[in-house]
Amino acid sequence: MFDVSGDAYGRFMGRFSEPLAAQFADLAGVRAGQRAVDVGCGPGALTAVLVERLGADHVTACDPSKPFVAALRHRLPHVEVQEAPAEHLPFADNTFDVTLAQLVVHFMADPVAGLGEMRRVTLPGGVVAANVWDHSGSEGPLSLFWQAAHDVDPHVRDESDLAGSQPGHLKQLFVEAGFADPDETRLSVAPRFGSFEDWWEPYTFGVGPSGSYVAGLDDDARQRVRDRCEELLGAPPFTVTATAWTVSARA
């Protein structure tokens, strides 16, 4: 699902994840002097923001995807990057002031275990925070795409049942992982697209569940989904609002 290049992922999700990363770092209170780890870093949207604020020597990152690890090492060569899943973080207890996971809990094999590992590697009183797209509502970055897919095929399985996507579910996962009084809020971004092709082409790169879905369609079905998306989006340029459930807590 994520055995794709960092560039493909960046073109698919970067317009949403990059502005989200700045807001997320603000919410987590990232400030000079802290040590931070980006769990499930992907090709580095959040990692780059952390480096800007803390310096490369104060930032660590990890991801289970070999292509993403390679892409981030190339992009930010002075950052320590490990290949590892959230459920098995290769870091000692009480290492970081801030432990963050942007758009990752959706895809953890065991979200409670992953959040528990994030808590373990964070200093007592440090911040642990995560966000996930609101795929269950109408303001996820992929909501319109899945609406179009449902219009073409009412039986298609979308991403609304991914971990944390339902209201309150991400907060509940934090509670199950042992956090006391986690705080939940919503962060939103609204990137602008100059043409329909600018919006559609990244769906053909095979990234994530939506990309896998498009790749599995025959030519006729793919064209019908494409046409329905274009109809729903309307004439360009247009903006797409994307909202993420965001939870933070103290370790």
Side-chain angles (χ1 to χ4, degrees), residues 142-152 196 199 224-236 238-240:
L142 314 180
S143 294
L144 184 140
F145 169 84
W146 286 118
Q147 179 184 341
H150 275 287
D151 290 346
V152 172
F196 175 75
W199 179 88
R224 284 187 286 131
V225 171
R226 183 189 184 283
D227 290 346
R228 182 57 177 151
C229 286
E230 190 168 17
E231 180 181 3
L232 290 172
L233 281 165
F238 47 78
T239 59
V240 177

Side-chain angles (χ1 to χ4, degrees), residues 34-68:
Q34 293 177 323
R35 290 191 55 81
V37 59
D38 182 0
V39 176
C41 57
L46 176 60
T47 318
V49 171
L50 296 176
V51 168
E52 288 175 0
R53 300 187 182 195
L54 305 178
D57 58 337
H58 280 64
V59 177
T60 303
C62 66
D63 197 282
S65 166
K66 287 181 181 294
F68 288 172

